[in-house]
Every structure is written in structure tokens, then in C-alpha cells.
Amino acid sequence: MNSLELLNKEQQEAVLCTEGPLLILAGAGSGKTRVLTHRIAHLIEDCGVNPWNILAITFTNKAAGEMRERVDKIVGFGSESVWVSTFHSACVRILRRYIDRLGFSNNFTIYDTEDQKSVVKDVCRRLELDPKMYKERMLLNVISRAKDEYLSPKEVEMDARGDFRREKIAQVYLEYQKELQKNNALDFDDLIVKTVDLFTVCPDVLEYYQNRFRYIMVDEYQDTNTVQFKLISILAGKYRNLCVVGDDDQSIYKFRGANIENILSFEKTFPDAAVIRLEQNYRSTGTILDAANGVISHNKGRKEKTLWTENEKGTPVEFHQFNTAYDEAEFIAGDIRRKMQEPGTEYRDFAILYRTNAQSRLFEEKFLMANIPYRLVGGINFYSRKEIKDLLAYLKTIDNGRDDLAVRRIINVPKRGIGAATLNKVDAFAQSRGISFFEALEEAPEIPGIGRALLKIQPFVHLIHEMRLKLGDLSLKELMEEILDKTGYARELEMEDTEEADARLENIDELITKIVTYEEGTEHPELSGFLEEVALVADIDSLEADDNRVLLMTLHSAKGLEFPRVYLAGMEDGIFPSYMSIAADTEEEIEEERRLCYVGITRAMKDLILTSARFRMVRGENHCNAVSRFVREIPENLLKRDGPPEKHKEQAPVDKRDQVYEKAREAFRTKTFDPRQFKVVKADSLDYGVGDRVSHIKFGQGTVLEIVEGGRDYEVKVDFDKAGIKMMFASFAKLKKIETL
């Protein structure tokens, strides 16, 4: 059988279109990898192209490995000569041969993140920059973004003129590059930048690789940044046999530098380009695809396409709205346990997808209680995350100074300049006296040779003593906020201004929410009791050793994966899409979030369940959120809506583990709050309208953007001057109209 007979009409067309520029718009689940591998095979076997002349580029080593396997299987002899590589791997191979033309030695070093930090740190020291104002991570983030856009230090400097801070950052970039060259080193971004530089200044090298790679294919083209686009454009400049495969509707990595315009403007760059749409989906039911099409059609910046399938229509998309995030997690855990009673169902069939890593905490705790094995993908278990362990170590030290591990963990967090030699002296002193590490710190003046380090140790000891004295007067939430304030832990993360730092701040907010949950659900809340409760959850790791587990992951981590049953949790305006995207000046941020929603929906093969909470606790405070606009964009005939289901008190029997596990179950039975306390009395009317200025007791003054009359209350959207956009119920908000002259 001819291998092309296994492909549909559009897939065959994409395989057979070998000459000139080609854009393959491959929708989710449309078999794009199959097309690429068959295209390579066709070039070699039917067109007589030398495998040596083919370059296939993708983004991850895993994807490159999978493509390599498929090519070897289909092509057989000679396939090893095809370059199947990531962008960075391909560039390394080129630079190892020719980088001496740019003033580097061919045995250059590739710096990792820690190496980069060291260089930036040295540069900042030489430039006498305040490390509190110019964080290493922030500087490296700015430098990386500049390289993504193929901007040199001089160009960044020119763009920054008149802005003192940006001029300093440009100076750091310049000195950083000088230092790398001096050390004969490149960072990860330089691998592509220097390859483009090489092709620009050395036409003979460029011509060699243009003749070498007469046929170029690029996968996941929607994720390319500006410098990657430049690299590909230059390489394909002679023969113009460039085939790019991607889906603009799945462009979700703007925060990493991806430029969606690369795929949207492909036909402008290559006016003679052929465009083939792969719209037949082999993954999902008709209903799920119709829901995905309904959502993504609201984006303006996209290529028109509509996914369809020959699969069955399938069941409606379910939507459940709950009072609290606690109820949401409880429902999902119960729903999984009920569905596990169906023959042939396995835990690995289920995936819970959410917008931010911080949302995983409630699911982790609920799954532990319900004895549901799970695996966290693309992240670390909530209580194992660095920032959470750091802050719990502070609480442990305040509660019990004899926990040497906790004290050691935080003695230099944030950095206090206490070196290893000093810590060794403290440790030796503690050992000789038979006292704890913290007690040794308290007696630091007596430690031989402690010297000037005493001035750094004593403030830390005073801080712990101060917190202990306040313990009786402060709630646990207030205590945590004091720790964050006094140590500057949160300020340091805010100063970093990176995606990673933002995620860590969200996790800290979720820890505060957990603290408030404990305080509200415990008759006599105490620090030791909270730490014990956390330990019971944190110490129970994977309940089962095999991979038959429910998967928990962010929507970004889920790209490229598929699951029979998918839960999209936290479908609320302010959560997904995020407040930042809602408050942005342009629609671009919302469109990026909508693409992310599209990715989430199209992960589902058979069942898709959307959930939201009316009230979600963020940083220990309850926020009232409207249902996500993305839910409202799904055609109503595809949705099965209902209110919060009756409590399923009787669940399937749970295998009893041990005493610790049972204590963990018991510890987390307490709800965040009792939804019955929210008895709403709807007003006959409101004394303010859209466009009016109003004031709120907490958020201050703002402008009313929207009022939606619901069955039990009015939902009011207000753009507050300082707090941003909030959605709230009128009965709770108690907004007061500001009379204007």
C-alpha cells in the first residue's frame, strides 16, 4: 500500500507540495507530525532529494527525537543524513565549525543560568548598581528579550535614551556581552543570535548552508520568535523551499518571546507561498470541536479555519458553577471517583487543567483525602515549592527554634551575607555545647572568631524573637504578612519582574489562603496546629508508584497532549482570563488567553467538564468572580449547565492507609467558609449605573463598567483607580455613588 493512501486529501496535498514556500495551518489533532515525516519520505524516495539536503527543525529535544524515530521508520536507509534538530542544537553544530569568524574559539563554553547570574552579578558590582534595584533575574530577562528580538546592546541603549534606569540596563547588557566574549562563552540565546550574525557577516558560510539545506521544514512555527524567524528566512533565501507548520490558534508563548506575527504575516514575507489548511481533527468529539471553534472565533488576529471531525458527536460540554473553590475541588474529586466505577476507566484518563500553578493546592489536598493517585506535571507539589518551604521554615523556626533544618534553610533567605565559614563556626559551637543551631545563633557573641558576621546574625535572631513576641497578638495570617514584610521576601520577588517570580508570588498568596482556611475552620487555631496539618499533607507523597494517576497541570504544560476526560477548572473572569489581561490596554492579551483556552478545550478527546467558583479566596480574601467570558462564548446548545450538585456524602469505599493518612483526611474536612452565610437579599434597584463613579470600603474609588441583572443579585463590574477591574455582587460590594458637580 502506498503510504500516501493513509493520509486525507489535505495531508496528501501538503506532502506533495515540495517546491517553494509553504504554510501548513495544522489545527489541533490534525496529524501534522505525520504530514512532516511523510513529506520527508516523499522528498527522498519519490523526488530523489539527497537526505543530506533536508533540515527539519522543532522546539524540544523530545519532539525532535520523536520525529527522528518516525523518519527512520518510514525512510529507512539514508535517513540518518537528514538533520532533525532543535533550533539550538542546529546552531551549536554550525557555530562549532565557524564561530572563529566572529572572534570566538570553536571550543566555546555554553553558560547555564547560574553562570549567567554570576556574570551579571560581577557586572553590577563593577558598575556600582544597587542589587535591590537591579535584580539579576530581571536583568537577564531583559537581556533575553532583547536577543529574542535580535536587538544589540547599542540598539537597546539608543532606545533607552532619556530613561535613566533603562540606560543602566542597556549598559549591563553591553558589559555582559563583553564579559561573555572575554570568557569565550555564549548563553542559550546567543546560540541563535551568533548564528544569524555569522550568516550576516560571512556570505560564504551562508552560501554553504543554503546549498546544504535546500529543503527546510519548521514545526510549531507559531512559537518562533523574531531572531528564529530571521535565521530561517536567511537560510531559505536561496532555494526558498521553506515549509512551516503551525497553528496560530495555539500560539500561547508570548511571555517567552514568541511572535505570532511570524505565522500571521507569512504570506506577506513570501507572497508566492502556498497555504494548506489541515482542519480534520482525529482526536476529539464533534461537540468538543464545535465548542473550541465557538471560543476561538472571537479572536480577530487569526487565520480563518474551522476544525471538524468524522468522530461521533459525543456528549455535551458540562459546566458546573460552585460557591467556593473548595466545593469545586470536592466535586472534581467526587466525579473522578464516581467515573472510576465505570468499566475500563483508569486514573490516567483524567486531567485537571488550570491557569496557574497555585490552583493545584486544593486539588492535591482533596485527592489525598479521597485516595486518588495523582501526578503534578510541569511543577512541584505545592508544599515542595521553594517559596513555600522557605516560608514554612520561618514559621517552624518561630514555633520551634530547635528545628535545625528549618533554621539553616532561612538563615540566608533572603540573602544576609552570612557565609559558609561562619555557619560552620556556628555549627561547631552548637555541637560543642550540645545546643541547637538557633540557640548557638542566640549566643553568637561567644563564638570564637565570629568577627563581623555577628552584625549579620543578630538582626536575624532579633527578627525571630520579635515574631515570637507578636505570636499571641497576631493572627497566623497577620504573622505571615509580617514575615513577608520584615524579611523583604515578597519585595525581592516583585523586583525580579519575571514570569517565574510572578508564579512564586501567586503561590505565596495561596499559602496565605491556606492559613486563613485553617484559622476559619479551627476552633483554637495555633501555629503548631497549622504546621502539623500541613505536615500531614506534605509528607504523604505519591500514593501509588505506577503512572496510572490523574494528571494535574497548567494549561501551558498541557500543549501537545491529549486525554479522554479533561476538567478545565477556575473558569472565571479574573482567573482565566487573568485580571492583567482584562485590564490591558489592547485586546492582544485577551486573545492570547483565548488561545490558551482553545488549547485546553482541544486536549479533550471524549469528555470536557468546565468548572468555576462564585467566590475564590486569593491571599486570604474572598473575591467574587463572574463566570469566564470563554464559557459564555461557547454556543449554548453545546453546554449542559446545572447548579452545584447535591453533596455526595456517600462516596465509593476508600482503602484505609495508615493513621497518618486518616489524620490528613480529617484535617482537611473543614471548608474554607460556610456558603450559607452568603444569604443575598436582592435590591429592587441600584442607585448607580454604568459610567457612574462609586466608592468601595476596601478598593477605593472607581468607575462602573457593567451591570448584569442575575436571578439572585446584580453583578457589577467596576474599574477601580488603584485596584483594577473587579466583578462583585451588589449586595456584598455595598458600593456608594460619588456625586459629581
Side-chain angles (χ1 to χ4, degrees), residues 624-680:
C624 174
N625 296 321
V627 173
S628 171
R629 64 196 64 199
F630 302 148
V631 175
R632 301 196 295 270
E633 289 169 359
I634 296 173
E636 198 61 37
N637 65 303
L638 304 176
L639 280 176
K640 179 184 176 185
R641 292 177 179 265
D642 59 15
E646 294 290 320
K647 294 290 179 197
H648 296 272
K649 294 180 181 178
E650 296 298 324
Q651 293 185 343
V654 177
D655 293 334
K656 291 192 177 182
R657 291 274 167 160
D658 52 31
Q659 193 177 2
V660 174
Y661 176 75
E662 288 302 313
K663 285 174 73 178
R665 283 190 67 190
E666 193 60 37
F668 289 96
R669 286 189 193 276
T670 308
K671 292 192 175 185
T672 304
F673 58 89
D674 186 353
R676 288 175 297 181
Q677 64 185 282
F678 292 97
K679 292 180 179 177
V680 176

Side-chain angles (χ1 to χ4, degrees), residues 83-253:
W83 264 34
V84 181
S85 171
T86 64
F87 273 101
H88 294 94
S89 298
C91 288
V92 168
R93 289 179 70 175
I94 294 168
L95 292 174
R96 287 291 182 205
R97 187 170 178 182
Y98 290 108
I99 199 172
D100 57 308
R101 304 280 193 96
L102 299 177
F104 290 78
S105 299
N106 297 88
N107 63 341
F108 60 86
T109 301
I110 302 172
Y111 275 0
D112 62 17
T113 304
E114 290 306 311
D115 296 327
Q116 290 176 266
K117 283 182 187 175
S118 296
V119 174
V120 166
K121 192 174 180 180
D122 289 341
V123 168
C124 288
R125 192 183 296 118
R126 286 203 306 273
L127 296 175
E128 298 181 341
L129 298 179
D130 184 352
K132 293 180 180 178
M133 289 290 295
Y134 299 90
K135 295 285 183 183
E136 295 156 17
R137 286 177 182 269
M138 178 274 291
L139 291 168
L140 286 171
N141 188 49
V142 173
I143 291 170
S144 180
R145 289 296 176 89
K147 292 180 180 182
D148 287 347
E149 293 298 317
Y150 198 58
L151 297 173
S152 69
K154 288 291 182 187
E155 287 171 311
V156 173
E157 186 181 30
M158 286 176 65
D159 189 52
R161 280 182 181 170
D163 187 322
F164 179 79
R165 190 166 184 269
R166 289 174 64 203
E167 285 178 346
K168 287 295 180 185
I169 292 172
Q171 197 177 354
V172 171
Y173 181 15
L174 179 63
E175 294 301 317
Y176 170 81
Q177 290 303 118
K178 287 180 180 177
E179 195 67 19
L180 288 186
Q181 181 139 12
K182 188 182 80 174
N183 296 344
N184 193 40
L186 305 180
D187 63 22
F188 209 55
D189 297 312
D190 276 335
L191 296 175
I192 301 175
V193 170
K194 294 301 179 185
T195 306
V196 173
D197 288 347
L198 178 68
F199 289 159
T200 304
V201 301
C202 302
D204 59 319
V205 176
L206 173 61
E207 188 177 16
Y208 171 81
Y209 282 104
Q210 284 179 333
N211 289 329
R212 168 77 192 267
F213 301 126
R214 301 189 180 202
Y215 293 87
I216 300 171
M217 280 161 271
V218 184
D219 196 10
E220 303 289 1
Y221 188 67
Q222 77 279 348
D223 295 335
T224 55
N225 58 34
T226 301
V227 71
Q228 289 165 338
F229 167 76
K230 198 169 183 69
L231 174 71
I232 293 300
S233 301
I234 293 172
L235 264 179
K238 185 173 182 179
Y239 292 96
R240 304 182 78 253
N241 297 322
L242 172 63
C243 168
V244 301
V245 185
D247 182 5
D248 54 297
D249 290 335
Q250 296 187 72
S251 178
I252 59 173
Y253 293 120

Side-chain angles (χ1 to χ4, degrees), residues 4 80 89 123 202 225 235 313 348 354 396 462 477 490 504 550 592 598 602 621 682 692 707:
L4 288 181
E80 67 279 357
S89 298
V123 168
C202 302
N225 58 34
L235 264 179
K313 184 173 178 62
R348 63 168 60 92
Y354 37 76
K396 288 174 184 177
H462 291 157
K477 179 196 176 189
R504 290 173 68 188
V550 177
E592 177 98 353
Y598 174 84
T602 54
E621 296 178 354
K682 184 179 176 182
D692 284 341
I707 299 174

Side-chain angles (χ1 to χ4, degrees), residues 323-325 361 477-478 481 508-517 519-520 572 575 579 614-625 672-673 678 696-699 723 726-728:
N323 271 331
T324 71
R361 188 216 19 123
K477 179 196 176 189
E478 290 167 337
E481 290 173 339
I508 292 171
D509 288 345
E510 185 60 25
L511 179 63
I512 292 172
T513 293
K514 171 62 187 174
I515 290 170
V516 173
T517 303
E519 289 188 300
E520 292 184 352
E572 305 134 37
I575 302 296
Y579 277 123
R614 293 183 180 89
F615 301 94
R616 187 174 297 272
M617 195 174 280
V618 179
R619 200 178 173 86
E621 296 178 354
N622 281 310
H623 290 239
C624 174
N625 296 321
T672 304
F673 58 89
F678 292 97
H696 185 273
I697 190 169
K698 177 181 176 184
F699 300 125
K726 306 279 185 191
M727 182 69 81
M728 56 195 72

Side-chain angles (χ1 to χ4, degrees), residues 181-436:
Q181 181 139 12
K182 188 182 80 174
N183 296 344
N184 193 40
L186 305 180
D187 63 22
F188 209 55
D189 297 312
D190 276 335
L191 296 175
I192 301 175
V193 170
K194 294 301 179 185
T195 306
V196 173
D197 288 347
L198 178 68
F199 289 159
T200 304
V201 301
C202 302
D204 59 319
V205 176
L206 173 61
E207 188 177 16
Y208 171 81
Y209 282 104
Q210 284 179 333
N211 289 329
R212 168 77 192 267
F213 301 126
R214 301 189 180 202
Y215 293 87
I216 300 171
M217 280 161 271
V218 184
D219 196 10
E220 303 289 1
Y221 188 67
Q222 77 279 348
D223 295 335
T224 55
N225 58 34
T226 301
V227 71
Q228 289 165 338
F229 167 76
K230 198 169 183 69
L231 174 71
I232 293 300
S233 301
I234 293 172
L235 264 179
K238 185 173 182 179
Y239 292 96
R240 304 182 78 253
N241 297 322
L242 172 63
C243 168
V244 301
V245 185
D247 182 5
D248 54 297
D249 290 335
Q250 296 187 72
S251 178
I252 59 173
Y253 293 120
K254 183 183 177 182
F255 68 93
R256 292 183 188 169
N259 185 354
I260 193 173
E261 283 301 316
N262 291 347
I263 192 167
L264 293 179
S265 303
F266 188 81
E267 295 143 282
K268 290 181 182 176
T269 310
F270 301 95
D272 57 334
V275 181
I276 298 172
R277 288 171 168 80
L278 304 183
E279 296 173 298
Q280 184 175 358
N281 176 284
Y282 294 92
R283 174 187 300 155
S284 308
T285 65
T287 299
I288 290 170
L289 293 184
D290 289 346
N293 290 329
V295 172
I296 202 63
S297 65
H298 287 77
N299 270 8
K300 296 176 183 176
R302 66 185 292 264
K303 301 276 190 182
E304 194 61 41
K305 69 187 89 63
T306 304
L307 291 183
W308 62 276
T309 185
E310 292 180 348
N311 297 341
E312 62 181 1
K313 184 173 178 62
T315 57
V317 175
E318 292 182 33
F319 173 63
H320 301 276
Q321 187 180 23
F322 302 92
N323 271 331
T324 71
Y326 180 100
D327 296 330
E328 177 188 49
E330 190 171 64
F331 164 78
I332 291 175
D335 199 49
I336 291 172
R337 289 197 60 80
R338 288 188 293 279
K339 287 173 177 173
M340 281 298 297
Q341 307 308 307
E342 299 173 10
T345 305
E346 296 187 277
Y347 285 116
R348 63 168 60 92
D349 295 342
F350 300 90
I352 292 90
L353 311 182
Y354 37 76
R355 181 63 181 86
T356 65
N357 270 312
Q359 290 171 256
S360 75
R361 188 216 19 123
L362 275 176
F363 295 112
E364 291 182 63
E365 293 181 359
K366 282 296 171 187
F367 287 3
L368 286 168
M369 284 192 282
N371 201 16
I372 296 173
Y374 72 90
R375 181 162 67 93
L376 201 64
V377 178
I380 305 167
N381 286 345
F382 183 80
Y383 292 106
S384 299
R385 293 168 191 165
K386 180 185 181 304
E387 58 278 9
I388 304 303
K389 289 179 76 76
D390 287 344
L391 294 172
L392 288 176
Y394 267 104
L395 293 178
K396 288 174 184 177
T397 302
I398 294 165
D399 185 57
N400 172 21
R402 293 189 298 275
D403 188 338
D404 285 0
L405 284 176
V407 179
R408 286 173 175 276
R409 181 178 185 91
I410 58 169
I411 185 69
N412 252 331
V413 177
K415 290 178 182 176
R416 297 184 174 89
I418 303 172
T422 298
L423 296 178
N424 288 337
K425 289 174 184 175
V426 175
D427 191 46
F429 183 80
Q431 295 289 338
S432 67
R433 296 287 184 94
I435 58 178
S436 71

